[in-house]
Structure formats: structure tokens, C-alpha cells
Amino acid sequence: MKQLNDFVASKLLRMKAIKLQPHNPFLWATGWNSPIYCDNRKILSYPQVRNVIKVELARIVAEEYPDVDVIAAVATNAIAMGVLLAQELGLPFIYVHSSPKDHGFENMIEGDLRPRQNVLVVEDQVSVGKNSMKVVETIRKNACKVVGMLAIFDYQLSATRQQFKKEEINLTALTNFEAVIRHALEEGYIHEEDAEILQTWQKNPEKWSMDNK
């Protein structure tokens, strides 16, 4: 898995899907300042990388979730990769909003989901996990079982890990924060002092954000 972690990390850094700016932080939707930002939608523009990620996700499903009935993507960023994965596996696909739409049928689930189906959730990245947990809750309220969650990138935040453990959600990511920082150092994207800043943020992003406003 380490070899896959490093391969995906290298591709995300090279295509600038992940950017590291320790001295010029990004503003997250949470209101936090962060020295790292991930936009995995860039993967869709690179067919070879896109295909590798699709195939690797499909391999994990075949090995770890052979009884899955439906692939569910977290709207909106994971929809494209979720469709590619479902097509590769020949499985039904749905996507789930984190809150009801304010028009039409006011759906949270787009597509057909039947009671007692085994659902695998696909995320593009997992940071604080708020939207992910809302999607899990919605699927469970529809009398279905969430068998696990796949993501391309995991920030490995401790509070998120604790929440996933509490909700009994098994998360598998193709790469993660540790792999990205390791590869960024090896390839000269950042220096040791930059890595220290990034690692300090990762240990307590909320406090780091307050200290760096």
C-alpha cells in the first residue's frame, strides 16, 4: 500500500491537485486557514492518472467489499470518480447531498436506493468529515448498510479518525497526508522547516488556524 500511497501522492503534487503553501495559507470553507489544499477534480483532466485511480479503487472494492450493491458518491466533488468506479464494476450508482435540495423533490439521494442494500461511499478527500458523516447518516436512514468509504486523499486528522471509529466507518484512502509530506520533501517541493509547519497544522488545525490569522 505504501508504494500506491507514494505513487498517488506524487501524481497529485505534480498536477497541483495538492498545493502546499506553509507561508501563504489557504482559507477553507470551515473558516480555517490551512497550509495545504487539495482539489482532486484536477484528476479528471489527466486520463492516465484518472484511469489508474479508477482501477485501484476497483481493486480495493473487489478485495475488501465483494458484497457491495451500490456505489454512492458524496456530492458534488466525488460524483465523477464515483460514476467511473461504478461503471468499472458494473454496479448501480447514486450520489448523496449533505443537505436537502431547496427545489423540486428536495432530494438528498439522487438515483434509486432500495432498503437493505450494501452501500460503499466514495469521497474525493476526507478532511473534517462533516459532509461524509451526513451522507452516511442519510444512507442509514434509508435502511441500508454503509459497508465502508473510499477516498483518494485522507488528511489523517485525529478528530475525524475518532468520529469515523465511533460511527464504525472503515476508511481506505489511496494516499494520505503522511505520504504527501514525505514525497514533497524527497522531491524538493518543500524544505524541512516547511514540513514542520505542515505537521504542526495537521496535529491541531483549528488552533493553528487561530494562531495564523
Side-chain angles (χ1 to χ4, degrees), residues 130-166:
K130 184 177 179 181
N131 288 343
S132 303
M133 285 297 103
K134 286 182 178 179
V135 166
V136 168
E137 181 183 359
T138 297
I139 292 170
R140 286 173 171 172
K141 283 182 176 179
N142 280 264
C144 289
K145 179 181 179 181
V146 176
V147 296
M149 184 178 298
L150 297 184
I152 298 170
F153 177 66
D154 178 14
Y155 281 91
Q156 298 178 294
L157 302 183
S158 59
T160 307
R161 286 185 164 189
Q162 291 170 15
Q163 181 68 12
F164 274 54
K165 184 177 180 179
K166 178 182 176 183

Side-chain angles (χ1 to χ4, degrees), residues 58-70:
R59 178 188 57 79
I60 292 169
V61 175
E63 292 176 358
E64 299 185 17
Y65 304 103
D67 297 328
V68 64
D69 299 312
V70 179

